Amino acid sequence: MLKARGIRAEQELAIINEEYGFLDRTKKQADFLEYFHDKTKVKYQKWEIVYKHFKDFCNGRCLIKDVTIGLCNDFRTYILKIRVKQSDKFISLNSAAGYWSTFRALLKLAHKEGWLRENINDHLDRIDWEEPKINYLEIEEVKRLAATPCKVDVLKRASLFACMIGLRISDILQLRWENIELSPDGGYCMRIRTQKTKTQATLPLSDEALSYCGEQGRGMVFKGLSRAHTREPFKK
């Protein structure tokens, strides 16, 4: 009975705290990193990347009670100074803006779900995006690319296919034969959900573009292709 009364007292205190705008003590002691990691499991890849950066930033320990305006602003500064391993240069401003936007989305969700009493986002400045410089290949450059020998056949085929269709590498890596189907006009089309924008798209496929996919089968279209394939050849 004593134990039951103690539990009842804790529950009553939690209810009172919620009613009067205080965060319950048990929630304050909850692991914010664990909460963050759980959200990465149902979100897209960028959440996992931001989680790893935040974990490094806070040295692998952060409770709900530690999440303050000051801590978040310090993480904002940290994001702007993240370096790219290959070049040892700071990440682009747009990458930093994307990471910061993702982290702020997490804070908004934590507030909505009752883990953060205050909506910290109201006190945080944005990282403004830069208008990106869009680089593209001229038709003659694509022809030169097609005529250039490449030891990795799947890399060359996927690259030329991407040039013709305009897909990001994240979409090329996820492309499956089930996404390619006959269109009403008798040709072929591709129905995909893009990885970055999460939007549905239907794209017509020319015979030439389809030829780069290889022999039709099941599963992944460009089997054996990975992001690692693109780094060194494209750098050269």
Side-chain angles (χ1 to χ4, degrees), residues 13-27:
L13 182 60
I15 293 169
I16 291 169
N17 281 335
E18 291 293 328
E19 287 179 351
Y20 286 92
F22 298 102
L23 193 63
D24 181 41
R25 182 179 60 185
T26 55
K27 283 188 175 180

Side-chain angles (χ1 to χ4, degrees), residues 2-168:
L2 286 173
K3 188 173 183 179
R5 288 171 187 153
I7 294 171
R8 173 186 168 180
E10 288 183 356
Q11 293 297 321
E12 286 179 342
L13 182 60
I15 293 169
I16 291 169
N17 281 335
E18 291 293 328
E19 287 179 351
Y20 286 92
F22 298 102
L23 193 63
D24 181 41
R25 182 179 60 185
T26 55
K27 283 188 175 180
K28 286 184 177 181
Q29 297 300 323
D31 191 333
F32 182 70
L33 270 178
E34 183 178 345
Y35 173 81
F36 194 166
H37 188 255
D38 286 343
K39 295 305 176 186
T40 66
K41 297 175 183 177
V42 294
K43 298 292 184 178
Y44 46 94
Q45 187 183 25
K46 187 182 290 184
W47 282 64
E48 179 70 26
I49 295 171
V50 178
Y51 165 77
K52 290 177 180 177
H53 284 306
F54 184 76
K55 186 177 180 180
D56 290 341
F57 162 75
C58 64
N59 296 318
R61 178 175 172 77
C62 182
L63 302 179
I64 291 290
K65 67 176 183 178
D66 300 325
V67 183
T68 62
I69 296 171
L71 178 86
C72 294
N73 277 325
D74 287 344
F75 184 53
R76 180 181 185 276
T77 302
Y78 177 90
I79 287 174
L80 289 166
K81 295 182 178 179
I82 294 173
R83 292 185 178 273
V84 180
K85 289 182 179 179
Q86 289 84 353
S87 63
D88 199 37
K89 295 180 180 178
F90 292 132
I91 62 172
S92 69
L93 189 62
N94 285 355
S95 292
Y99 292 169
W100 182 236
S101 177
T102 298
F103 184 72
R104 293 186 67 191
L106 172 75
L107 296 176
K108 183 178 180 180
L109 189 59
H111 171 66
K112 183 179 179 181
E113 294 181 350
W115 290 99
L116 294 175
R117 171 53 56 187
E118 184 179 15
N119 188 1
I120 297 177
N121 271 313
D122 292 341
H123 307 282
L124 301 177
D125 293 329
R126 296 184 304 170
I127 296 177
D128 292 326
W129 298 76
E130 285 183 325
E131 189 68 30
K133 179 183 178 182
I134 300 176
N135 295 314
Y136 59 90
L137 295 175
E138 300 286 353
I139 187 64
E140 290 303 319
E141 292 175 314
V142 175
K143 290 179 180 179
R144 282 171 54 197
L145 184 65
T148 302
C150 179
K151 294 179 181 178
V152 185
D153 177 66
V154 67
L155 172 62
K156 183 171 183 176
R157 289 191 293 106
S159 300
L160 293 172
F161 181 82
C163 286
M164 301 188 76
I165 304 302
L167 289 180
R168 301 179 180 90

